[in-house]
Amino acid sequence: MPDGTLEYYARNFKEFGESTFNVDFSSTQERFLRHLPPKAAILDFGCGSGRDTSYFLQKGFSVTATDGSPEMCRLASANTGHEVKHLLFQELDAESAFDGIWACASVLHLPKTELKDVFLRMEKALKDNGILYVSFKYGSFEGIRNGRFFTNFTEDEFKDFLSQNSGMKIIDYWITADVRPKRKEEKWLNLLIRKISR
């Protein structure tokens, strides 16, 4: 992860957790879950405060939670009562292990050059016909902003990126406002992507 981003979470994990854990994100969570079988295996890839891991566990799903920040891992584990594994995105090395991967506002911290490899790793980790949810801030920016690295996408830019770097297929996408208080002006690109059975 680019310089500064992990350090940002090391310094701000408590404040970040307080601003995200209790936010109602159920409409997007359910949009993802309806594509999965009951008790499906989900990878919460960059789980942050553990909000989504907690939701998926309450719904009866089998969740593997990971984060690249040791501080966020400890916070998410405390919030959920569930083990959270310290794992950088580039360290994912599973094969056909998950029905779904949830990468909510997480892999956006990688530059496009590193995202290429991580998308291939996520594709490999999914079972055939598995579902990936991923979200990015909406726009064309790539660089450091307020202490963290971000890669933003528009829908057309992301379609082009995915076509070059993965065999997966977009099945749905939508744009939302940020759900956190005082952040409504920020827009997000949300995508559901299916691993095509080979």
Side-chain angles (χ1 to χ4, degrees), residues 10-30:
R11 294 191 308 270
N12 297 285
F13 70 93
K14 184 177 180 181
E15 177 184 303
F16 181 83
E18 290 173 350
S19 71
T20 59
F21 187 74
N22 292 312
V23 167
D24 182 2
F25 209 61
S26 57
S27 62
T28 299
Q29 292 159 335
E30 290 297 328

mmCIF file of all heavy atoms in Angstrom, residues 10-30:
data_model
loop_
_atom_site.group_PDB
_atom_site.id
_atom_site.type_symbol
_atom_site.label_atom_id
_atom_site.label_comp_id
_atom_site.label_asym_id
_atom_site.label_seq_id
_atom_site.Cartn_x
_atom_site.Cartn_y
_atom_site.Cartn_z
ATOM 1 N N ALA A 10 -3.180 3.700 11.437
ATOM 2 C CA ALA A 10 -2.547 3.491 12.739
ATOM 3 C C ALA A 10 -2.855 4.653 13.687
ATOM 4 O O ALA A 10 -3.080 4.460 14.885
ATOM 5 C CB ALA A 10 -1.044 3.318 12.582
ATOM 6 N N ARG A 11 -2.888 5.857 13.138
ATOM 7 C CA ARG A 11 -3.146 7.048 13.953
ATOM 8 C C ARG A 11 -4.628 7.290 14.205
ATOM 9 O O ARG A 11 -4.999 7.846 15.241
ATOM 10 C CB ARG A 11 -2.552 8.294 13.278
ATOM 11 C CG ARG A 11 -1.041 8.331 13.170
ATOM 12 C CD ARG A 11 -0.578 9.715 12.731
ATOM 13 N NE ARG A 11 -1.258 10.180 11.526
ATOM 14 C CZ ARG A 11 -0.820 9.950 10.287
ATOM 15 N NH1 ARG A 11 0.292 9.257 10.093
ATOM 16 N NH2 ARG A 11 -1.478 10.411 9.235
ATOM 17 N N ASN A 12 -5.459 6.907 13.244
ATOM 18 C CA ASN A 12 -6.869 7.334 13.265
ATOM 19 C C ASN A 12 -7.865 6.191 13.368
ATOM 20 O O ASN A 12 -9.051 6.376 13.100
ATOM 21 C CB ASN A 12 -7.164 8.137 11.990
ATOM 22 C CG ASN A 12 -6.348 9.406 11.894
ATOM 23 O OD1 ASN A 12 -6.614 10.387 12.580
ATOM 24 N ND2 ASN A 12 -5.326 9.392 11.039
ATOM 25 N N PHE A 13 -7.410 4.993 13.768
ATOM 26 C CA PHE A 13 -8.303 3.837 13.749
ATOM 27 C C PHE A 13 -9.518 4.015 14.648
ATOM 28 O O PHE A 13 -10.637 3.615 14.291
ATOM 29 C CB PHE A 13 -7.535 2.560 14.121
ATOM 30 C CG PHE A 13 -7.107 2.481 15.564
ATOM 31 C CD1 PHE A 13 -7.901 1.846 16.505
ATOM 32 C CD2 PHE A 13 -5.912 3.034 15.972
ATOM 33 C CE1 PHE A 13 -7.510 1.764 17.829
ATOM 34 C CE2 PHE A 13 -5.508 2.965 17.294
ATOM 35 C CZ PHE A 13 -6.312 2.329 18.233
ATOM 36 N N LYS A 14 -9.332 4.643 15.790
ATOM 37 C CA LYS A 14 -10.456 4.808 16.717
ATOM 38 C C LYS A 14 -11.516 5.734 16.122
ATOM 39 O O LYS A 14 -12.711 5.404 16.107
ATOM 40 C CB LYS A 14 -9.975 5.347 18.055
ATOM 41 C CG LYS A 14 -11.077 5.452 19.097
ATOM 42 C CD LYS A 14 -10.519 5.918 20.439
ATOM 43 C CE LYS A 14 -11.638 6.013 21.475
ATOM 44 N NZ LYS A 14 -11.111 6.494 22.789
ATOM 45 N N GLU A 15 -11.075 6.878 15.617
ATOM 46 C CA GLU A 15 -12.004 7.837 15.017
ATOM 47 C C GLU A 15 -12.680 7.245 13.780
ATOM 48 O O GLU A 15 -13.887 7.406 13.580
ATOM 49 C CB GLU A 15 -11.240 9.107 14.640
ATOM 50 C CG GLU A 15 -12.082 10.160 13.941
ATOM 51 C CD GLU A 15 -11.241 11.352 13.519
ATOM 52 O OE1 GLU A 15 -10.602 11.964 14.392
ATOM 53 O OE2 GLU A 15 -11.219 11.657 12.306
ATOM 54 N N PHE A 16 -11.903 6.534 12.953
ATOM 55 C CA PHE A 16 -12.465 5.900 11.761
ATOM 56 C C PHE A 16 -13.511 4.860 12.151
ATOM 57 O O PHE A 16 -14.593 4.789 11.548
ATOM 58 C CB PHE A 16 -11.349 5.247 10.936
ATOM 59 C CG PHE A 16 -11.839 4.593 9.686
ATOM 60 C CD1 PHE A 16 -12.053 5.333 8.523
ATOM 61 C CD2 PHE A 16 -12.093 3.235 9.645
ATOM 62 C CE1 PHE A 16 -12.515 4.730 7.356
ATOM 63 C CE2 PHE A 16 -12.550 2.619 8.487
ATOM 64 C CZ PHE A 16 -12.758 3.368 7.345
ATOM 65 N N GLY A 17 -13.207 4.062 13.154
ATOM 66 C CA GLY A 17 -14.173 3.055 13.599
ATOM 67 C C GLY A 17 -15.464 3.674 14.102
ATOM 68 O O GLY A 17 -16.563 3.207 13.777
ATOM 69 N N GLU A 18 -15.338 4.749 14.859
ATOM 70 C CA GLU A 18 -16.529 5.415 15.401
ATOM 71 C C GLU A 18 -17.396 6.005 14.296
ATOM 72 O O GLU A 18 -18.615 6.090 14.429
ATOM 73 C CB GLU A 18 -16.110 6.499 16.391
ATOM 74 C CG GLU A 18 -15.541 5.943 17.684
ATOM 75 C CD GLU A 18 -14.960 7.010 18.590
ATOM 76 O OE1 GLU A 18 -14.832 8.171 18.130
ATOM 77 O OE2 GLU A 18 -14.623 6.691 19.749
ATOM 78 N N SER A 19 -16.774 6.424 13.194
ATOM 79 C CA SER A 19 -17.531 7.067 12.110
ATOM 80 C C SER A 19 -18.154 6.067 11.143
ATOM 81 O O SER A 19 -18.982 6.455 10.315
ATOM 82 C CB SER A 19 -16.622 8.026 11.332
ATOM 83 O OG SER A 19 -15.664 7.313 10.554
ATOM 84 N N THR A 20 -17.766 4.787 11.238
ATOM 85 C CA THR A 20 -18.246 3.814 10.247
ATOM 86 C C THR A 20 -19.020 2.640 10.826
ATOM 87 O O THR A 20 -19.918 2.105 10.165
ATOM 88 C CB THR A 20 -17.061 3.239 9.435
ATOM 89 O OG1 THR A 20 -16.129 2.593 10.319
ATOM 90 C CG2 THR A 20 -16.353 4.336 8.657
ATOM 91 N N PHE A 21 -18.696 2.213 12.044
ATOM 92 C CA PHE A 21 -19.246 0.925 12.517
ATOM 93 C C PHE A 21 -20.763 0.925 12.635
ATOM 94 O O PHE A 21 -21.422 -0.063 12.306
ATOM 95 C CB PHE A 21 -18.615 0.534 13.860
ATOM 96 C CG PHE A 21 -19.020 -0.846 14.302
ATOM 97 C CD1 PHE A 21 -18.486 -1.973 13.693
ATOM 98 C CD2 PHE A 21 -19.954 -1.021 15.313
ATOM 99 C CE1 PHE A 21 -18.861 -3.250 14.077
ATOM 100 C CE2 PHE A 21 -20.336 -2.291 15.715
ATOM 101 C CZ PHE A 21 -19.787 -3.415 15.093
ATOM 102 N N ASN A 22 -21.338 2.020 13.095
ATOM 103 C CA ASN A 22 -22.790 2.052 13.328
ATOM 104 C C ASN A 22 -23.594 2.646 12.176
ATOM 105 O O ASN A 22 -24.800 2.852 12.302
ATOM 106 C CB ASN A 22 -23.081 2.829 14.617
ATOM 107 C CG ASN A 22 -22.586 2.075 15.843
ATOM 108 O OD1 ASN A 22 -22.835 0.885 15.998
ATOM 109 N ND2 ASN A 22 -21.859 2.770 16.716
ATOM 110 N N VAL A 23 -22.939 2.889 11.058
ATOM 111 C CA VAL A 23 -23.642 3.409 9.889
ATOM 112 C C VAL A 23 -24.506 2.316 9.277
ATOM 113 O O VAL A 23 -24.068 1.165 9.132
ATOM 114 C CB VAL A 23 -22.628 3.931 8.845
ATOM 115 C CG1 VAL A 23 -23.302 4.186 7.510
ATOM 116 C CG2 VAL A 23 -21.965 5.207 9.347
ATOM 117 N N ASP A 24 -25.744 2.638 8.925
ATOM 118 C CA ASP A 24 -26.646 1.676 8.284
ATOM 119 C C ASP A 24 -26.252 1.515 6.817
ATOM 120 O O ASP A 24 -26.436 2.422 6.013
ATOM 121 C CB ASP A 24 -28.091 2.162 8.396
ATOM 122 C CG ASP A 24 -29.087 1.173 7.785
ATOM 123 O OD1 ASP A 24 -28.667 0.095 7.299
ATOM 124 O OD2 ASP A 24 -30.294 1.478 7.789
ATOM 125 N N PHE A 25 -25.725 0.361 6.484
ATOM 126 C CA PHE A 25 -25.292 0.072 5.125
ATOM 127 C C PHE A 25 -26.062 -1.113 4.555
ATOM 128 O O PHE A 25 -25.634 -1.768 3.602
ATOM 129 C CB PHE A 25 -23.779 -0.215 5.127
ATOM 130 C CG PHE A 25 -23.070 0.127 3.848
ATOM 131 C CD1 PHE A 25 -23.043 1.424 3.356
ATOM 132 C CD2 PHE A 25 -22.422 -0.860 3.122
ATOM 133 C CE1 PHE A 25 -22.381 1.736 2.175
ATOM 134 C CE2 PHE A 25 -21.753 -0.565 1.936
ATOM 135 C CZ PHE A 25 -21.737 0.727 1.470
ATOM 136 N N SER A 26 -27.222 -1.391 5.158
ATOM 137 C CA SER A 26 -27.937 -2.637 4.862
ATOM 138 C C SER A 26 -28.449 -2.736 3.427
ATOM 139 O O SER A 26 -28.504 -3.838 2.867
ATOM 140 C CB SER A 26 -29.100 -2.827 5.837
ATOM 141 O OG SER A 26 -29.991 -1.724 5.787
ATOM 142 N N SER A 27 -28.797 -1.620 2.798
ATOM 143 C CA SER A 27 -29.331 -1.713 1.440
ATOM 144 C C SER A 27 -28.269 -2.255 0.487
ATOM 145 O O SER A 27 -28.553 -3.090 -0.392
ATOM 146 C CB SER A 27 -29.840 -0.354 0.960
ATOM 147 O OG SER A 27 -28.784 0.598 0.913
ATOM 148 N N THR A 28 -27.015 -1.813 0.664
ATOM 149 C CA THR A 28 -25.930 -2.314 -0.181
ATOM 150 C C THR A 28 -25.524 -3.725 0.228
ATOM 151 O O THR A 28 -25.274 -4.590 -0.626
ATOM 152 C CB THR A 28 -24.725 -1.367 -0.112
ATOM 153 O OG1 THR A 28 -25.120 -0.080 -0.600
ATOM 154 C CG2 THR A 28 -23.575 -1.872 -0.955
ATOM 155 N N GLN A 29 -25.473 -3.984 1.518
ATOM 156 C CA GLN A 29 -25.149 -5.335 1.990
ATOM 157 C C GLN A 29 -26.135 -6.362 1.429
ATOM 158 O O GLN A 29 -25.746 -7.434 0.944
ATOM 159 C CB GLN A 29 -25.157 -5.363 3.517
ATOM 160 C CG GLN A 29 -24.022 -4.560 4.142
ATOM 161 C CD GLN A 29 -24.300 -4.168 5.585
ATOM 162 O OE1 GLN A 29 -25.459 -4.072 6.006
ATOM 163 N NE2 GLN A 29 -23.239 -3.920 6.351
ATOM 164 N N GLU A 30 -27.422 -6.034 1.469
ATOM 165 C CA GLU A 30 -28.437 -6.968 0.989
ATOM 166 C C GLU A 30 -28.388 -7.124 -0.531
ATOM 167 O O GLU A 30 -28.685 -8.200 -1.065
ATOM 168 C CB GLU A 30 -29.830 -6.514 1.433
ATOM 169 C CG GLU A 30 -30.079 -6.661 2.926
ATOM 170 C CD GLU A 30 -30.027 -8.116 3.382
ATOM 171 O OE1 GLU A 30 -30.397 -9.001 2.603
ATOM 172 O OE2 GLU A 30 -29.608 -8.349 4.536
#
